[in-house]
Amino acid sequence: DVWVALRATLHRYSIIQRPFQDMANGIAARRSSGLVFESSDELMLHTYRFGGTVGLIALPVLADNSVLDGDVAMGALALGMALKLTDLLNCIGHHYRTLGNRTVPREVMQRYGIDESELERNLKGEAKNLPGDPRWQELMQELLSPVRPLLQHASWAGEQLSGKSCVAVRVAVRMCMRVVVHIEKRSYDTINRRAKMFTVSTITDVAGAIRSSGYASAKMMSL
């Protein structure tokens, strides 16, 4: 039973209760008909509630008490948020068609002159003008812009961990960055295409994480 396992974990590790509460608040606030965001702030709040909290919840399991400080906690938060935000932006079309999600905040669309009906026609396959459109590319660049700084902090914080925990953070950073690069290389077309985070390339991510250092991960993020 998942709740038995959770109680056992809570008993074994000194997990802070706040992330669980924040995640529960996010679940309670979710619409039954799919996600809709009015602003970038709403998007980032969702990213925290369903990504950042996961990083914070996992942290006491991964980190020794000797290194469990504010900076490392912020690194766990940053990694969770980077992974969630990347997933949302990588799968804009897929999540619309399978979950009914409208990931792009309305306020951001308005600033770039993209009408909601225009995006919906593209998401439904009734039009194909947005991929390759400078408006869409600039919009996506803005929405993706937090990912690299988040991963950079996560990479630094991960180097404070020991052994397998450190390698696990390196792998996650590399996987996330690989997806971001794929999005950029295909001109930000996440309406019709998406990159898979878990592929045969994951083997390369693991191998690179074992051989590399935090500096190497940070250098990769400058690409």
Side-chain angles (χ1 to χ4, degrees):
D1 184 277
V2 66
W3 298 112
V4 173
L6 179 57
R7 281 194 294 270
T9 304
L10 287 168
H11 178 73
R12 183 176 178 187
Y13 300 102
S14 56
I15 297 178
I16 302 171
Q17 299 299 310
R18 178 63 184 269
F20 286 98
Q21 296 167 0
D22 289 342
M23 183 185 286
N25 290 338
I27 293 171
R30 287 189 71 161
R31 294 159 43 103
S32 59
S33 57
L35 299 174
V36 177
F37 302 111
E38 295 294 334
S39 67
S40 296
D41 287 345
E42 286 189 8
L43 173 62
M44 293 307 292
L45 177 59
H46 176 85
T47 300
Y48 163 70
R49 282 174 165 172
F50 292 93
T53 56
V54 175
L56 290 172
I57 289 167
L59 181 59
V61 180
L62 294 172
D64 300 327
N65 288 334
S66 60
V67 298
L68 194 54
D69 60 16
D71 287 334
V72 172
M74 286 302 294
L77 173 69
L79 180 58
M81 290 185 67
L83 288 166
K84 185 61 179 179
L85 183 59
T86 300
D87 177 63
L88 288 169
L89 297 176
N90 177 50
C91 300
I92 288 176
H94 177 70
H95 286 169
Y96 173 81
R97 290 184 286 272
T98 58
L99 302 172
N101 291 353
R102 292 168 171 79
T103 305
V104 182
R106 286 168 172 159
E107 169 263 326
V108 179
M109 284 194 291
Q110 290 172 2
R111 280 197 286 108
Y112 286 95
I114 298 174
D115 188 76
E116 197 169 344
S117 61
E118 180 182 10
L119 175 57
E120 189 159 348
R121 288 195 300 273
N122 277 262
L123 291 169
K124 289 180 176 179
E126 297 170 355
K128 296 187 180 294
N129 65 295
L130 282 180
D133 188 315
R135 296 175 300 158
W136 178 257
Q137 292 176 349
E138 291 173 13
L139 176 151
M140 286 294 294
Q141 286 172 4
E142 177 182 325
L143 293 179
L144 273 171
S145 63
V147 174
R148 275 187 170 87
L150 287 169
L151 289 178
Q152 198 154 16
H153 188 77
S155 178
W156 174 85
E159 295 305 304
Q160 315 309 308
L161 305 178
S162 60
K164 295 178 181 179
S165 297
C166 177
V167 173
V169 172
R170 290 178 185 172
V171 171
V173 167
R174 283 174 167 269
M175 288 170 60
C176 188
M177 196 60 219
R178 171 167 47 79
V179 172
V180 171
V181 170
H182 282 178
I183 293 171
E184 293 169 343
K185 285 184 175 179
R186 64 178 187 241
S187 300
Y188 303 96
D189 180 11
T190 59
I191 294 175
N192 304 302
R193 304 167 65 185
R194 63 190 176 106
K196 293 184 178 179
M197 193 167 289
F198 294 94
T199 67
V200 67
S201 297
T202 306
I203 299 172
T204 305
D205 296 328
V206 174
I210 294 171
R211 293 196 307 267
S212 73
S213 64
Y215 169 77
S217 295
K219 187 175 181 182
M220 179 182 66
M221 278 178 274
S222 67
L223 297 175

